[in-house]
Amino acid sequence: PGDRGDELGDYVTGLRALEAIGGRHPGVSKVYAVRAGREVRLMVDPGQVDDEEAAVIAQRVATDVEKELDYPGRIKITVVRESRASAFAE
């Protein structure tokens, strides 16, 4: 409440802006701003995004964040591309 309420609103707006920047890239399925906005984790579809494209997405998101947001310090961009296979023998 009061003066600190504005700070909380700015904080939430900043996290949402980070997530929006990451989410607008093709192949990205989920975006999480973690560690108080110091890191952004992007989950990508391994069927749409290969390892090289994952690195390109990370660089593009970093460039977009630099251009569009004002923030102190650094923000780490992590792209997670995971595929799993399971089988059962009975």
Side-chain angles (χ1 to χ4, degrees):
D3 191 32
R4 295 186 66 90
D6 292 338
E7 291 175 14
L8 178 62
D10 292 342
Y11 172 76
V12 172
T13 302
L15 293 180
R16 287 186 180 154
L18 280 172
E19 291 176 348
I21 290 171
R24 66 181 178 215
H25 294 275
V28 176
S29 58
K30 294 181 183 177
V31 182
Y32 301 101
V34 295
R35 294 189 33 213
R38 297 288 175 220
E39 184 174 353
V40 179
R41 294 186 186 158
L42 299 107
M43 308 302 174
V44 296
D45 181 5
Q48 293 181 348
V49 177
D50 61 8
D51 289 338
E52 292 176 9
E53 182 65 22
V56 171
I57 290 172
Q59 187 58 48
R60 285 181 183 161
V61 170
T63 301
D64 290 347
V65 168
E66 288 174 355
K67 288 179 182 178
E68 298 177 29
L69 299 179
D70 292 326
Y71 53 91
R74 300 186 331 176
I75 297 175
K76 180 180 179 182
I77 311 298
T78 303
V79 176
V80 179
R81 180 183 175 268
E82 179 180 79
S83 60
R84 297 180 188 190
S86 299
F88 293 95
E90 294 185 25

